[in-house]
Amino acid sequence: MSASNTSTISSVGAPSRRNTELALLVFAVLIPVFAYANVGLAKDGSLPAGLLAYGLGLGLLAGIAHLIVRKFAPYADPLMLPIATLLNGMGLVFIWRLDLEPSLGKAMAPTQLMWSTLGVALFVAVLVVLKDHRILQRYTYISMVVALVLLIMPVFFPGINGAKIWVTIPGVGSLQPGEFAKIIITVFFAGYLMVKRDALALASRRFMGLYLPRGRDLGPILVLWVLSLLILVFETDLGTSLLFFGLFVIMLYVATERTSWIVFGLVLSAAGAVFVSTFEHHVKDRVDNWLNPLALVNGGVTETAQTMYAFGSGGMFGSGLGQGYSRLIGGIAPKSDYILATVGEELGLAGLMGVLLLYGLLIERGVRTALAARDPFGKLLAIGLSGAFALQVFVVAGGVTGLIPLTGMTMPFLAQGGSSVIANWALVAILLRISDTARRPAPSPAPSTDAEPTQVVRTQ
Amino acid sequence: MSELTLTVMRLGFLAVLWLFVIVAVQVIRSDLFGTRVTQRAARRGADQSRPPQQRQQQAQNQRQQPQNNRQRRGAPTKLVVAEGSLTGTTVALQGQTITLGRAHDSTIVLDDDYASSRHARIYPDRDGQWIVEDLGSTNGTYLDRNRLTTPTPVPIGAPIRIGKTVIELRK
């Protein structure tokens, strides 16, 4: 007997994973429907009337998005769309659940459903129109101008709840341009850093273990720092300025591989935050609330403490959907900024961790896309978009759980807010486009002309 | 709604949510380890000329073979490439001679600049003891740290080094 069993290891030809995505999508639609039924049973003792319509609506949105991905981005990552759908669906359920509390003002779930539909429409449009993400590279400096305009615009409009981040169009509603600026400025950073990264990485002196860049290379980061401080001062919005500065530092670090940028970034943002929080009234309040949550404000404890109570009463496994008391949070935005408190109370630590893990998975897929992308622009764009998403999740979740002072930002997909949900669907669409390009198997080489049989040429 | 139903739904929802997370992680896992390990009956040369039916029989014989081997305790059952470009490749030891080298008809085709085309062979002697023999290679075959000059018995787990490739016999 002289046969041998040999095992060989071969890489699997990149599967498109679209069927995996479809299965996960069905799962991702069923979970919010279950939650919706659960809320109805807990609040009224009967299944809510809109159950079928809601389920079909969400299923239809997910189905259309899936078919478009199947057609236009067949090799895209299979996880991003289901996770985004699940988060959006859960957000709708939570907003509807808070609508059932009469003390929290008018119903917002129908509008949010409309915004989600618009978001999916933009998702579809991006996938259909944007055939290749490298097209965006042509618009590097245009996108810088557009992003700056979007960022500066809210200064000229009246602030809402102390923060000037809205643009109000009479008759239509208000818009948060910062959410869109987030994507557009990432395009600019990616295009700019791709060209400048060698100058930033190599032309530097070493000083005390840190690479000090030349003054003229330091220019852009200082300009960005001043700009984010200006946002902080004039729009009194801690979240947006943190997001933009953090985004720039992340992308600089990824582009140049120099740890010194992180140190610079942290020092500059700490200095900026301390400086502004000492002088700016609105920001100072937030910091005070964060430092002394149990201080008495208007005859009660601060919102920060109230959210802590909500998390505490939720405990390990939560009070159950529809059975929490998050209506007692006296905040101004229980359906947007504080929606995580409701999640924490009604689903408990276990549920909150699950939701945060979903965000983590979405970000991980984004970073994974950046690793897999073959072109430097796509790499930087993917890391920038997932970085912006991660920063936003961190700023909101950190603010609500009391890790950092609360800032007015929305939890992507989960929280009520039209601009946020639309912008984040577009963000996911761009990530899917990059991941489709990255995961697409390389085309087989064209048959060589030399391979053809030699011909005899008679010269006489 | 009764308290019990709501409690069941509450825990059920958490279970479903976590199930989704776990399924998602499984999808990522299958993405990460995107390689396929195929077992193949690789007896080069003579094997290819046989009709498929006989091959099947042979495969059955192979399956029975380990049971016979198991009677002799302490004998190695497989050869594992521990270092080098073929890391992770295993070959089941079933009494056959294993040839190593860059030649295409070797049992393990080494993709190694320091290997000769017919570098070494590993075979069992009459007592079932596995022997490694250098076939006059340019850069030599090493067992532990000693360069081989004569056919030498291979203890289990001792590294056989050929160029950058390290091979071990394992149980």
Side-chain angles (χ1 to χ4, degrees):
Chain A
M1 195 64 223
S2 60
S4 64
N5 276 341
T6 322
S7 62
T8 48
I9 298 172
S10 58
S11 67
V12 178
S16 77
R17 309 306 294 267
R18 287 280 73 81
N19 293 332
T20 317
E21 182 184 81
L22 184 61
L24 276 173
L25 260 182
V26 172
F27 203 177
V29 170
L30 288 179
I31 293 176
V33 171
F34 181 22
Y36 193 63
N38 193 349
V39 173
L41 286 175
K43 295 294 277 187
D44 306 328
S46 62
L47 287 174
L51 184 66
L52 198 64
Y54 170 75
L56 286 179
L58 193 64
L60 194 68
L61 283 184
I64 291 173
H66 172 72
L67 286 179
I68 292 294
V69 171
R70 207 174 256 272
K71 177 87 175 65
F72 289 95
Y75 291 96
D77 193 279
L79 276 178
M80 291 188 206
L81 180 60
I83 292 177
T85 310
L86 176 58
L87 287 172
N88 200 344
M90 296 241 300
L92 285 169
V93 171
F94 276 105
I95 294 164
W96 178 74
R97 179 253 167 281
L98 289 170
D99 283 346
L100 293 179
E101 308 288 352
S103 62
L104 293 182
K106 64 181 195 318
M108 284 171 171
T111 2
Q112 182 70 8
L113 186 59
M114 193 193 75
W115 290 123
S116 306
T117 314
L118 272 180
V120 174
L122 190 61
F123 172 88
V124 166
V126 168
L127 278 183
V128 171
V129 173
L130 192 68
K131 295 275 182 229
D132 187 344
H133 61 269
R134 274 163 293 193
I135 296 171
L136 293 174
Q137 206 177 335
R138 295 180 202 155
Y139 305 111
T140 302
Y141 288 94
I142 294 178
S143 50
M144 177 188 75
V145 174
V146 172
L148 287 184
V149 167
L150 283 176
L151 279 178
I152 292 167
M153 227 161 35
V155 176
F156 306 106
F157 289 87
I160 302 174
N161 302 329
K164 287 175 137 187
I165 48 173
W166 277 274
V167 168
T168 329
I169 307 164
V172 180
S174 52
L175 203 72
Q176 248 177 303
E179 292 282 350
F180 297 97
K182 170 178 83 182
I183 299 176
I184 297 170
I185 208 158
T186 311
V187 173
F188 162 65
F189 286 162
Y192 171 79
L193 288 174
M194 199 191 83
V195 179
K196 290 286 164 104
R197 64 175 178 170
D198 286 342
L200 287 168
L202 302 175
S204 52
R205 281 165 316 196
R206 215 180 143 85
F207 175 72
M208 285 174 64
L210 287 179
Y211 286 94
L212 290 182
R214 292 180 301 186
R216 60 185 129 150
D217 295 332
L218 207 59
I221 189 173
L222 287 177
V223 168
L224 251 294
W225 179 63
V226 170
L227 186 76
S228 61
L229 277 189
L230 287 180
I231 296 174
L232 197 53
V233 171
F234 287 105
E235 304 184 3
T236 58
D237 183 23
L238 197 65
T240 312
S241 69
L242 200 69
L243 176 66
F244 284 101
F245 192 64
L247 178 61
F248 188 58
V249 172
I250 288 177
M251 292 184 73
L252 256 181
Y253 173 61
V254 172
T256 61
E257 300 173 38
R258 290 272 183 260
T259 329
S260 47
W261 288 118
I262 301 265
V263 177
F264 274 120
L266 286 179
V267 168
L268 283 180
S269 51
V274 169
F275 171 76
V276 174
S277 63
T278 357
F279 293 103
E280 187 62 43
H281 171 69
H282 178 70
V283 180
K284 194 165 179 288
D285 274 358
R286 292 285 174 89
V287 176
D288 281 345
N289 283 356
W290 171 60
L291 289 176
N292 311 305
L294 289 175
L296 291 178
V297 181
N298 305 331
V301 289
T302 60
E303 293 165 17
T304 314
Q306 288 170 3
T307 50
M308 293 294 116
Y309 293 163
F311 285 126
S313 98
M316 193 68 196
F317 294 106
S319 61
L321 282 163
Q323 297 157 73
Y325 295 95
S326 43
R327 62 170 181 272
L328 297 178
I329 297 176
I332 42 182
K335 292 176 192 173
S336 49
D337 295 6
Y338 285 120
I339 196 145
L340 214 53
T342 310
V343 177
E345 182 178 9
E346 306 203 336
L347 298 182
L349 182 68
L352 188 64
M353 286 301 136
V355 170
L356 288 181
L357 260 181
L358 288 177
Y359 281 112
L361 284 173
L362 193 55
I363 294 159
E364 191 270 345
R365 291 327 280 169
V367 175
R368 180 74 219 159
T369 299
L371 281 177
R374 300 192 188 106
D375 61 309
F377 178 73
K379 267 184 197 302
L380 281 173
L381 189 58
I383 199 78
L385 291 175
S386 26
F389 195 88
L391 272 175
Q392 193 169 351
V393 171
F394 171 76
V395 166
V396 187
V400 173
T401 51
L403 183 68
I404 53 173
L406 184 90
T407 60
M409 278 188 110
T410 53
M411 203 70 187
F413 293 120
L414 203 60
Q416 185 269 327
S419 323
S420 164
V421 79
I422 294 179
N424 283 311
W425 272 113
L427 188 150
V428 169
I430 299 176
L431 277 180
L432 278 181
R433 168 55 68 216
I434 300 173
S435 99
D436 175 49
T437 321
R439 291 164 60 103
R440 191 183 287 274
S444 52
S448 163
T449 47
D450 296 342
E452 286 172 13
T454 317
Q455 292 174 0
V456 178
V457 180
R458 200 183 287 268
T459 52
Q460 280 184 343
Chain B
M1 251 316 102
S2 71
E3 196 72 16
L4 182 66
T5 322
L6 287 178
T7 310
V8 169
M9 281 194 101
R10 172 164 68 101
L11 297 178
F13 183 77
L14 289 179
V16 172
L17 188 67
W18 275 94
L19 190 65
F20 184 89
V21 172
I22 290 165
V23 169
V25 171
Q26 287 301 317
V27 171
I28 293 180
R29 192 171 149 266
S30 66
D31 239 26
L32 281 181
F33 302 105
T35 48
R36 182 183 291 144
V37 178
T38 38
Q39 296 286 335
R40 50 174 188 165
R43 222 189 66 143
R44 293 152 204 274
D47 201 57
Q48 284 159 5
S49 57
R50 290 189 194 183
Q53 266 192 337
Q54 277 189 339
R55 273 205 207 179
Q56 267 182 0
Q57 275 184 349
Q58 204 179 24
Q60 279 168 4
N61 289 344
Q62 281 172 19
R63 253 172 255 141
Q64 288 159 3
Q65 194 76 12
Q67 290 171 350
N68 303 339
N69 282 356
R70 213 164 285 153
Q71 292 165 352
R72 205 177 53 238
R73 292 188 143 224
T77 59
K78 63 184 175 189
L79 179 151
V80 178
V81 180
E83 266 178 52
S85 57
L86 293 172
T87 303
T89 308
T90 60
V91 176
L93 297 174
Q94 279 157 345
Q96 81 283 22
T97 299
I98 291 169
T99 54
L100 302 149
R102 289 165 71 174
H104 290 293
D105 56 349
S106 311
T107 314
I108 294 181
V109 181
L110 297 170
D111 176 25
D112 193 322
D113 290 343
Y114 298 98
S116 302
S117 56
R118 291 183 204 291
H119 198 108
R121 62 178 179 149
I122 299 173
Y123 61 94
D125 69 0
R126 265 175 234 150
D127 311 329
Q129 172 67 48
W130 288 88
I131 310 285
V132 59
E133 180 185 8
D134 188 81
L135 298 174
S137 64
T138 314
N139 292 313
T141 306
Y142 293 80
L143 181 63
D144 272 335
R145 300 230 175 125
N146 311 314
R147 184 163 178 163
L148 294 177
T149 46
T150 53
T152 314
V154 188
I156 287 177
I160 302 168
R161 185 178 290 276
I162 295 173
K164 290 174 180 168
T165 308
V166 174
I167 293 161
E168 288 174 13
L169 297 189
R170 290 192 190 155
K171 266 200 260 192

